[in-house]
Amino acid sequence: MKDPAEMPTLYVAQQSFELQRVNYSAATADGRVGGVQAGFPLWNAIYTLSRMPEEDSDDWRAFIAGQRGGIRRFIGRDLARQYPRLYPDGFGDFGAFTGQASSWSQTINADDDARLTLHLGAAAAGLELSPGDGIDFRYDATEDAIAGVPWRAFVRVTEGGTADGSGNVTVTVEPPVPDPVPSSAVAHIDQPGCTMTIVADQTSFEPVDRLYSVRGGQVVGVQDIRDGR
Amino acid sequence: MKTFSDEALAALERGDAIVSASVEIIPGPVTTYSLSSTTDVDMLGADLPPLQRSISGVIANDLGYQFSADPSQVIRFKPKSGGTYSGVDPNSDGWRWPLDCVADDIATTFVRFCVPGNPQYGSAALALAAVNSLLSGGARFQITGHSSYRIWPDLEESVAVLDASDGGLSVTIEFYDPETTTADPIRLWAGYGAADLPSDEGTSTFLGVGDRGLVQQVTAAVGGSAQNLTLTLSGIEPAALEVLDANEVKGAATVVRLLIFDSAGKTLLGAYVFTRGRVDEIRTSEVVGGAASIELAIEGAARALGRRGGRLRSDADQRLVSPTDGFYRVVSSVPKKTLYWGGKKPSVAGSGGGLLSGLASSGAAGVGAAT
């Protein structure tokens, strides 16, 4: 399989980048309705495109064409949060730190919340992560058909935290880091994304008009989780 | 009865659990008997290799099978030069080998297997039969008498061709019994990645197919017929796909488990056997422009129980059991009588009035009322 492609990031007028859960909404005998879910949540992305210059229109059309429907993969991003909320222009104030953690670990607390600890290094001391910030885990897949293909898994901060003097920060994330993500995966907070596949029957462009660019369109992707252990 | 652990039950009660499913397909062992001959093979009578006798002894006697021959199931091969074939009546009783083989009409010489069928419920499935070319290892094809009476459809395609210059005929017979298992099971689950999950061997590694809809069961009405369980397998790892050979898993014992995880999806709270059954059929679904998937239909015990046997409520059938038993001798001439046990009696001619009709309309048995 070809390495997942980077997606164009310009001229997305609207975006939905949320977790997709199949919830049975099971009613219990006492009348309360609970949430028994089928399977694990997946990230779902819907990008609504606006009018754009011809060049960008060509880029988007070439990107979708290259995806070959659902055959290939791409890196889907939360374009509304490519860097932590407090550092929209990157990590220039943190010296050598560029967004990569040297290591990470996760624990599940008594409330079933996933507490993720990132070791960002001393240069990132004082860095603050806010709810909505993204973290991705980059690794090489090990499943036979895609062995060696770079892969990403994505989580979103729900309760933020501030890195201590050593650059260690613990936050609550959702969903918990999936089991297929190896412990050797490299965590990043710079331009995080997850490996997705195009949902072909929901992806389309509006016609190209006299300005030689598409009038808009919609690109839909859903996460593809693969084993990296 | 399924017994949920306290943790799993509590999670379900709170409504904060993630459910998933696992499937374990356990093909039976392939016990191989080989016989070969460098001369003309007389497969019946005095020259019959001992193996063949023991096979027919097992099938015809020990397991009590009833044979039904299917002359359309033909295996063609080129026999040893100089042999003669005198044909076999496939409708005779029992398992027959060809007497021997002819060399003068190589293209059309064939042998017929009497295909075993209708095994008794609960008995082991019947033999796989394979013919191997001495030179190339040949093609392997299977005849199986499954409890659903299904014969392998691709039999004609799997033809072993023995070069006439071969030293003889080699026949390999494999017995396939899904009730005892030694072959490597196929283990899949509906999550992502490989996971160590409860299995019939304690704990085993299951391959993730990442399909929330892995297990689908058509809801059956109470009192209705039991429905098959359908597994839809898509996005399967090629390694798992290789072992999902329809010929090998047909009739294989299958265990479907319900998995209860905590709401974080990290801790398995419980795994419970949802269905034990046998693989009924494997269908591949490939729609141009649509999804491609493999559908595995699993026949549970309840469905198999609904299968009718070969008995008839007729005098002839009963006489087969005991020639002097005439219990059903009048069954064809006995009149029918409808009895209404409770409930509202349908309107009939006798509902105009009077004591008897009043009794009838009150729901009492209609015997005696005008009909």
Side-chain angles (χ1 to χ4, degrees):
Chain A
M1 179 186 288
K2 187 177 179 181
D3 290 356
E6 292 285 352
M7 58 176 285
T9 58
L10 300 180
Y11 296 100
V12 174
Q14 298 179 50
Q15 170 206 272
S16 169
F17 194 95
E18 305 298 333
L19 280 173
Q20 178 193 67
R21 296 181 186 272
V22 179
N23 196 343
Y24 285 130
S25 295
T28 58
D30 56 6
R32 298 192 180 95
V33 177
V36 176
Q37 297 180 2
F40 301 93
L42 296 175
W43 288 103
N44 201 44
I46 304 175
Y47 305 103
T48 305
L49 307 180
S50 66
R51 300 204 64 136
M52 63 188 76
E54 181 182 353
E55 272 188 26
D56 298 276
S57 170
D58 291 345
D59 288 344
W60 273 104
R61 292 164 70 202
F63 164 69
I64 292 299
Q67 286 296 295
R68 297 185 178 176
I71 292 178
R72 289 177 173 166
R73 302 293 180 268
F74 70 99
I75 308 296
R77 292 217 176 87
D78 179 355
L79 298 178
R81 192 68 64 88
Q82 298 210 55
Y83 288 93
R85 184 176 70 196
L86 297 178
Y87 317 105
D89 298 324
F91 307 105
D93 294 337
F94 294 92
F97 177 68
T98 57
Q100 176 178 315
S102 59
S103 64
W104 60 274
S105 62
Q106 176 180 253
T107 57
I108 306 296
N109 67 9
D111 295 327
D112 276 353
D113 282 333
R115 297 287 288 166
L116 179 69
T117 300
L118 300 175
H119 304 279
L120 303 177
L127 185 144
E128 187 176 344
L129 292 177
S130 314
D133 292 346
I135 304 166
D136 74 5
F137 300 86
R138 305 178 190 183
Y139 56 96
D140 287 342
T142 55
E143 293 185 13
D144 285 349
I146 53 169
V149 176
W151 219 260
R152 295 194 193 189
F154 180 85
V155 300
R156 177 178 282 161
V157 174
T158 56
E159 292 177 16
T162 303
D164 59 16
S166 303
N168 301 331
V169 58
T170 300
V171 293
T172 302
V173 297
E174 199 64 45
V177 179
D179 284 342
V181 175
S183 56
S184 57
V186 180
H188 284 254
I189 58 174
D190 54 305
Q191 295 187 309
C194 72
T195 307
M196 289 186 156
T197 180
I198 290 286
V199 180
D201 58 348
Q202 298 178 35
T203 296
S204 64
F205 290 114
E206 295 192 29
V208 171
D209 64 7
R210 286 172 292 179
L211 297 179
Y212 302 109
S213 70
V214 293
R215 295 174 56 185
Q218 175 172 279
V219 175
V220 178
V222 66
Q223 183 181 16
D224 183 4
I225 299 179
R226 297 297 184 109
D227 215 327
R229 295 167 295 180
Chain B
M1 176 185 296
K2 297 180 177 60
T3 304
F4 291 91
S5 70
D6 290 344
E7 293 85 359
L9 193 58
L12 292 173
E13 284 287 306
R14 289 193 306 267
D16 64 354
I18 291 180
V19 297
S20 187
S22 72
V23 176
E24 197 173 5
I25 302 170
I26 312 167
V30 177
T31 305
T32 301
Y33 299 87
S34 294
L35 47 141
S36 61
S37 169
T38 57
T39 62
D40 288 352
V41 176
D42 181 357
M43 301 297 282
L44 209 61
D47 291 337
L48 190 66
L51 176 62
Q52 204 280 335
R53 290 201 192 93
S54 68
I55 291 173
S56 49
V58 168
I59 294 176
N61 299 324
D62 296 354
L63 299 179
Y65 291 130
Q66 305 169 13
F67 289 113
S68 64
D70 184 353
S72 67
Q73 303 305 319
V74 172
I75 304 165
R76 292 189 174 83
F77 59 91
K78 298 178 183 178
K80 175 183 176 300
S81 172
T84 57
Y85 171 69
S86 57
V88 172
D89 177 6
N91 293 316
S92 60
D93 56 333
W95 180 271
R96 287 281 190 253
W97 289 95
L99 295 179
D100 41 34
C101 313
V102 296
D104 51 352
D105 190 0
I106 293 176
T108 60
T109 302
F110 57 88
V111 295
R112 294 180 191 273
F113 285 111
C114 284
V115 181
N118 302 349
Q120 294 178 4
Y121 170 72
S123 307
L126 296 181
L128 305 176
V131 176
N132 288 319
S133 161
L134 287 176
L135 284 183
S136 65
R140 174 171 173 270
F141 42 86
Q142 302 165 349
I143 306 171
T144 180
H146 186 59
S147 55
S148 63
Y149 318 128
R150 186 168 291 115
I151 307 301
W152 227 267
D154 61 353
L155 186 62
E156 287 280 344
E157 299 173 2
S158 302
V159 175
V161 176
L162 296 176
D163 194 292
S165 64
D166 286 353
L169 169 66
S170 170
V171 176
T172 302
I173 300 170
E174 300 167 328
F175 280 92
Y176 174 74
D177 181 355
E179 294 197 357
T180 61
T181 61
T182 59
D184 288 338
I186 303 159
R187 298 188 171 105
L188 308 170
W189 78 294
Y192 301 98
D196 291 333
L197 298 170
S199 69
D200 267 9
E201 295 178 8
T203 300
S204 304
T205 301
F206 285 70
L207 299 179
V209 296
D211 187 351
R212 295 166 176 150
L214 176 63
V215 180
Q216 298 166 353
Q217 182 178 33
V218 175
T219 304
V222 172
S225 60
Q227 301 296 317
N228 270 355
L229 196 67
T230 301
L231 309 181
T232 302
L233 307 174
S234 61
I236 303 175
E237 265 284 288
L241 204 55
E242 286 172 7
V243 298
L244 206 63
D245 181 340
N247 288 349
E248 289 189 0
V249 301
K250 183 169 175 64
T254 306
V255 184
V256 177
R257 289 181 175 84
L258 178 69
L259 308 174
I260 311 291
F261 288 87
D262 64 355
S263 65
K266 307 295 275 185
T267 304
L268 180 65
L269 302 176
Y272 312 100
V273 174
F274 183 78
T275 296
R276 287 187 185 272
R278 296 182 189 272
V279 174
D280 187 8
E281 59 178 345
I282 298 178
R283 296 182 295 266
T284 54
S285 171
E286 292 170 338
V287 178
V288 174
S293 63
I294 299 171
E295 292 181 350
L296 212 72
I298 297 175
E299 177 187 85
R303 186 161 179 82
L305 285 172
R307 184 172 300 110
R308 63 182 298 273
R311 297 297 307 279
L312 299 172
R313 290 191 184 89
S314 69
D315 185 47
D317 182 271
Q318 192 65 20
R319 298 281 183 181
L320 290 175
V321 176
S322 172
T324 58
D325 187 348
F327 183 84
Y328 283 110
R329 68 185 183 283
V330 296
V331 69
S332 60
S333 57
V334 170
K336 291 183 181 177
K337 177 65 180 177
T338 303
L339 301 176
Y340 302 100
W341 301 100
K344 183 180 179 182
K345 180 174 180 295
S347 299
V348 292
S351 61
L355 179 62
L356 285 180
S357 60
L359 284 176
S361 63
S362 70
V367 176
T371 57

